[in-house]
Amino acid sequence: MSVSVDRTLQLTQLSGQAISDLSPSFNHLPKTGHADGEYRLRRYSIVKATANGIEHLPQRAFMQSDEINHFQGNVARTFEPLEDKIVYSTGMREMCEVFKRANALSDDQEIEIHQIRIAALDGETQVAPEGVHQDGFDHIAVIGFGRENIEGGEFLVYKTKDDLPILSMELEQGEVAILADNQLWHNARPIKAVKQDQQGYMDLFVLTARETNYAL
């Protein structure tokens, strides 16, 4: 008898150990020269999660078509890679294994990892400048890792681009939202600093995978 597993939208939680391993590294994220580089600090790496551990693949530019990303589409964006101590940490292995298991991915599957801090500027800051969108992958995961002195930033999931959201949640530390990017749409509400004279930010990991493994 076959059992059908619905992998369209899944919610789960990382362990306290994974949170402890990965959280401090957000304080070392660089700004970039891209359109959002002053307030979306980022590192980006491509890995495989195998039975022998994490394999850190050669760095390459990240690019999406303008049909997918109306904000920075058709732009080859380069980022500094994740720090080695983070890539090879127990927490990284757990996070990748959670993503793999949720989507039944093989050891050969490439996983692209964005580590992002979104800083609150004056007034409202756009978490997702592209609005309601898909990322052009088969699977994505968004993992919360910190909220400091902000309001807003809820992660939103939609059945279609023009629907009302079917999910709205603040992703607290270690909370994981995994969705079929080729079936659902997503967005996030803007963030705003609660105390204007203090730094406000939101920390996230975003994992993506194309099962076909073709290059961007």
Side-chain angles (χ1 to χ4, degrees), residues 7-9 134 137-140 178-184:
R7 304 185 190 279
T8 309
L9 176 61
Q134 294 173 311
F137 293 86
D138 293 306
H139 312 286
I140 70 167
I178 303 169
L179 57 148
D181 185 53
N182 52 10
Q183 298 180 51
L184 298 174

Side-chain angles (χ1 to χ4, degrees), residues 24-209:
S25 60
F26 282 91
N27 294 322
H28 309 137
L29 294 182
K31 295 181 179 180
T32 75
H34 305 301
D36 57 352
E38 285 294 314
Y39 70 93
R40 289 210 291 188
L41 289 64
R42 186 185 312 218
R43 291 183 185 272
Y44 165 71
S45 286
I46 307 160
V47 307
K48 290 183 180 180
T50 73
N52 296 321
I54 299 295
E55 178 186 353
H56 200 175
L57 301 177
Q59 202 71 359
R60 67 178 182 234
F62 177 72
M63 186 169 176
Q64 295 169 300
S65 76
D66 56 6
E67 293 180 358
I68 294 293
N69 187 335
H70 301 297
F71 177 60
Q72 293 186 98
N74 293 342
V75 176
R77 288 180 280 166
T78 57
F79 302 100
E80 293 184 30
L82 272 63
E83 298 170 290
D84 279 347
K85 64 181 179 181
I86 299 305
V87 172
Y88 299 117
S89 68
T90 303
M92 178 60 66
R93 185 165 185 176
E94 178 185 322
M95 186 168 66
C96 289
E97 287 296 336
V98 165
F99 186 56
K100 277 181 61 185
R101 285 196 304 271
N103 297 300
L105 303 178
S106 73
D107 282 5
D108 289 330
Q109 177 64 54
E110 288 186 2
I111 299 172
E112 300 183 34
I113 303 174
H114 297 260
Q115 184 181 17
I116 305 170
R117 169 167 286 181
I118 303 158
L121 306 176
D122 294 336
E124 286 191 339
T125 300
Q126 295 296 323
V127 173
E130 57 270 57
V132 181
H133 65 285
Q134 294 173 311
D135 285 338
F137 293 86
D138 293 306
H139 312 286
I140 70 167
V142 182
I143 303 107
F145 264 86
R147 294 173 53 89
E148 181 67 30
N149 185 38
I150 60 166
E151 57 186 18
E154 294 88 352
F155 182 61
L156 307 170
V157 179
Y158 307 77
K159 284 187 176 180
T160 73
K161 187 175 183 178
D162 299 319
D163 276 345
L164 293 173
I166 59 172
L167 175 73
S168 173
M169 66 181 294
E170 291 183 4
L171 289 170
E172 301 292 349
Q173 269 199 332
E175 291 184 336
V176 184
I178 303 169
L179 57 148
D181 185 53
N182 52 10
Q183 298 180 51
L184 298 174
W185 298 70
H186 61 281
N187 192 11
R189 291 198 171 96
I191 59 172
K192 184 176 181 180
V194 176
K195 298 179 180 178
Q196 295 297 316
D197 59 342
Q198 296 181 21
Q199 184 183 29
Y201 58 82
M202 181 168 65
D203 292 341
L204 302 166
F205 272 107
V206 178
L207 278 58
T208 63

Side-chain angles (χ1 to χ4, degrees), residues 4-36:
S4 176
V5 178
D6 186 355
R7 304 185 190 279
T8 309
L9 176 61
Q10 304 171 73
L11 302 175
T12 187
Q13 172 78 42
L14 297 183
S15 70
Q17 182 62 57
I19 294 168
S20 178
D21 283 352
L22 298 172
S23 292
S25 60
F26 282 91
N27 294 322
H28 309 137
L29 294 182
K31 295 181 179 180
T32 75
H34 305 301
D36 57 352

